[in-house]
Amino acid sequence: MAESTNMRLRLPLLCIILEVILIILFGALVEYNDDTHAKMWNANKSHSATRDDYENEFYYRYPSFQDVHVMIFVGFGFLMTFLQRYGFSSVGFNFLIAAFSLQWATLMQGFVHGMHHGKIHVGVTSMINADFCTGSVLISFGAVLGKTSPVQLLVMAIFEVTLFAVNEFILLSMLGANDAGGSMTIHTFGAYFGLMVTRVLYRPNLDKSKHRNSSVYHSDLFAMIGTIYLWMFWPSFNSAITNYGDPQHRTALNTYYSLAACTLATFAFSALVNPEGKLDMVHIQNAALAGGVAVGTAGEMMLTPFGSMIVGFLAGTISVLGYKYLTPVLESKLKIQDTCGIHNLHGMPGVLGAVVGAVTSALASPGVYGHGLQRVFADAETGKWNPQSRGGFQAISLAVTLGMALFGGLVTGFILKLPIYGAPPDTHCFEDGLYWEELVPPHLAFTF
Amino acid sequence: MAESTNMRLRLPLLCIILEVILIILFGALVEYNDDTHAKMWNANKSHSATRDDYENEFYYRYPSFQDVHVMIFVGFGFLMTFLQRYGFSSVGFNFLIAAFSLQWATLMQGFVHGMHHGKIHVGVTSMINADFCTGSVLISFGAVLGKTSPVQLLVMAIFEVTLFAVNEFILLSMLGANDAGGSMTIHTFGAYFGLMVTRVLYRPNLDKSKHRNSSVYHSDLFAMIGTIYLWMFWPSFNSAITNYGDPQHRTALNTYYSLAACTLATFAFSALVNPEGKLDMVHIQNAALAGGVAVGTAGEMMLTPFGSMIVGFLAGTISVLGYKYLTPVLESKLKIQDTCGIHNLHGMPGVLGAVVGAVTSALASPGVYGHGLQRVFADAETGKWNPQSRGGFQAISLAVTLGMALFGGLVTGFILKLPIYGAPPDTHCFEDGLYWEELVPPHLAFTF
Amino acid sequence: MAESTNMRLRLPLLCIILEVILIILFGALVEYNDDTHAKMWNANKSHSATRDDYENEFYYRYPSFQDVHVMIFVGFGFLMTFLQRYGFSSVGFNFLIAAFSLQWATLMQGFVHGMHHGKIHVGVTSMINADFCTGSVLISFGAVLGKTSPVQLLVMAIFEVTLFAVNEFILLSMLGANDAGGSMTIHTFGAYFGLMVTRVLYRPNLDKSKHRNSSVYHSDLFAMIGTIYLWMFWPSFNSAITNYGDPQHRTALNTYYSLAACTLATFAFSALVNPEGKLDMVHIQNAALAGGVAVGTAGEMMLTPFGSMIVGFLAGTISVLGYKYLTPVLESKLKIQDTCGIHNLHGMPGVLGAVVGAVTSALASPGVYGHGLQRVFADAETGKWNPQSRGGFQAISLAVTLGMALFGGLVTGFILKLPIYGAPPDTHCFEDGLYWEELVPPHLAFTF
């Protein structure tokens, strides 16, 4: 076993080859955009007195970027530390695949979203978009958590990032969809991609590692660090790339209310579904976040705090019920082993968010949005504005996303099934000792 | 026992009823303000060329809001994880009552602070104010930590938020007091309200749970996460709703210096009061924060770094001495069982902050503030400006706050005493197992 | 032993004396700057319509300041909690010496960088600079971690802060060097200062505490909190005091890419140098950060993402190799006991950063930077602009820094060697119990 999971050549080779390719491609293709380029920023300034430093996109987006960055590295990383013997891998592999994905995503998103004279322009907006794409990979990571080697995860990231960029391009550029917070592009895509991967990688004998597939007291507290950071900064996530001014402000506000309502629903249904009325940490850690997912599309629209709270409450409810009743069925009937329950946190709430976005789009009108309409719906300016068809395109976007995710996950799953990546044996899933140097004997750590 | 503390119906019912009421009231009463409304923000823009997106209040306040948000959910949440068997409840109930309180506070503060044509207007400032009010409830939570059911805590929040809004209205609108960082409205109010509640809920036999009312090595490290986040972001807390420009900038600076000086006092007196000269984690976790509380009123004034440091040093000193000498007396003589020692962290430093605010107001003059005077003292514009009477009103505000807090805590305490909320028995205080599904047998977790 | 390490008088006396001196000096010398002063900020506004509140430096720098603040208190503090029995001291002493250093640094940096009519002016930029100087002290703390009393650490901070300010003045003001992210002033200086101190304090019998000089499962997870926060916020660190607009934006971007590439190098070489291909937590926790250190000088220049990634990849590589092969040699041959391996995280990457900065400066040209040249290189305006000599001055700056650090560390080391500070005996290094009140018997905590 030690042989088959040895990372000594596999992991270094893959990391170094990938990074060298990234560096070469960045050297050939990536340039500073006008707001990060010494010559361009100042050239424009000298032409016009109206462009001053406070207009640099840095000041509108960088605080949101840092919040998103915290969600990606601390939020996702620590959320997955709930497993008793998999904390190093949760935080560590999250770190590795995120660091790779954000570079690869910069290239892939740059390719498909349009280059400038053959060059990809980068700045704070590309940083946020790369982090968003990374988030999608980390969602999929949640489904296969504990059952994959770091090499497999990097290979998964290569394919998922690429497909993410294609799907995002179809939605945002071809279908003109709205999805600032990524209910579809990030959550639905990442969830169904990951669920399909874990389906293909189904392990009939995973029971052999069952005793490690659970939490202990401290590991649950570490996971709460992840939960709380995701919860707090979700308003920044959903608003990070909306238009300046009222859309950014409104999106943060809507997300704040959705999450608050979702939290009350989560506590309510967590106690309700337990025979003794006891709360389940799994629900609190995960379902309380579903409200952020579910306003990822409509958050920038005039959803109102009232609407946001209803959506959040629904999202929390279906998420808890999913953890309690659906996850066991998915495993026993559909052979989908979903370690973190991403179907409940990202899958169903993502679909709910897409539907809410389609309905809210279809109800949009100049009477409600005034001159702000085209700041939310880019094509409102063209005169061909038709909210019902907008709603229709939103619905089509959801279908495209589901198709891309399931198909991409299927193909990627089969690629990951090749016996060359050093995947853990069934008896040693959810176990840090396989890939991490041990400092204390396993029977002494975390098992007291 | 299991029966009497069963939350299966109580908690879900209360959560769902409260959230439904909140949603209905939000639907009837809450509207986007001009900075979050698509029509309003852009309508104003077309009228005047001077209003550009960078003037949206979002860019002045949102980074501070996120810092405050971290303090409420991570800061307060983890600060209370110091108890060895109460980490889930500390972070979890903090999460629940904060998510409820911020919604309820939006309504209550909206009601009393003036509606716009029958509507409550929301935006980033209302989000900050709601978080502030929530902070006050969490302070009170610290006094009753480990001895209350989540249902009791929600009921407490209903009453405390309401009274907070009334007291805040009297201070800020009727008495014209300054209290941007809430030495009075948040800290003094929350502390004395909570102390009165815990007095009414006095448990003569709490000794039966004594062995769980202490920390272990790891739980103290988790608590330090809370401490450090509160400490770092306190400059954002005190400056979050001051006027734009110099007041916001100055408040952050004053708070930074006050906290630094407070930390040195805390370490000094913690070692001094111990016979072996050893530091006490309780002091470091709590007293080092008193410097932020104590400049909550005067921080926006021309207190100077020099003045801020003196205040911070005093606050740290009285806080450590309070933990060492006063808390045991409060329990044995006054029957006030104050789990987190909120009297030392929020009570006394809050009163100190109110006094410092009154004195600093009374010393204000156009000579020192120039044209900036009316940006700190709103009524300085009226010509009837009289710093001595300003100082007097500040002192009256403290008295009003103390009265409201003690009276409110008394009434709320008696309401919470009804035997219908599933409160823990004396033998099972400070124990997660009562309300949380257990993953490992209690004798194996956290008691190694 | 208990006697010799007793802090009851030593620590309180030193803290109180230091804070009283600080307060007196602040009272005599420190004033609000124009952006924090009620009179000055508003006086200027009335003169000119162009100066509006959004031009207050607060809005350009405060979000970055808070990120830096998190790095100093959470980042450094928790990074050092990896030791199994030294978590209280790691976070606690980090807290103490940082709170002292930022006050002392405000004075020292104010003295040498030029006073305004005999006064030191403070605002958000002085807060960032003080935090930067504090970072340097905390780097040195990493070398002596576990082997010093809090009194020794405060004495070290007094000297190191002073010398830091002098060295910074020589570099930035006399030599006109660029070093916005402090590859030289912060990292190289802090590292070689600390290495020299620990050399002078060499303990031949440190083996007696060997069993405590290692991590356990949970302590490594706590340390990852520190790592991840440092990693995420490093773009803010390097960009915090660059010029507004494109330099701030570009620096953040370059640092982001450097760190991402560094992380892949770290995972690659960590697995490669282990016979079983297993990853080492020490490498992940530390070497992955070297990419931030290594673009601390050149980050604001037109380094390009391509260049940043090469630098980051190199930094991660040399850092891992340093931990594996150099640290043991430093200890056995040079008698340098470097607890945290600061030579690998700050020393070598700092020197690399200085070299990269010199080369990038020497390659600067108006063709690349356009009108933005003088926003990066202050003396480009003078007409005497000569990139080669700029590069030369950068190289000289590195030499000066190394000299100052080694000399300062030597002198400070001998001062710290006096047997009056209550340093721990060889048998009780890396042990919280010496300076912290114990809540549970040592054999029960963290050793399960």
Side-chain angles (χ1 to χ4, degrees), chain C residues 15 19 62 110 120 145 150 182 202 315 350 353 356 385 406:
Chain C
C15 285
E19 192 58 47
Y62 188 73
I120 294 166
L145 188 75
Y202 179 66
V356 171
W385 167 251
L406 291 172

Side-chain angles (χ1 to χ4, degrees), chain B residues 231-240 251-252 255-256 259, chain C residues 62 66:
Chain B
W231 196 91
M232 293 185 305
F233 289 162
W234 218 294
S236 302
F237 190 94
N238 284 347
S239 65
T251 311
T255 308
Y256 172 83
L259 285 162
Chain C
Y62 188 73
Q66 274 297 3

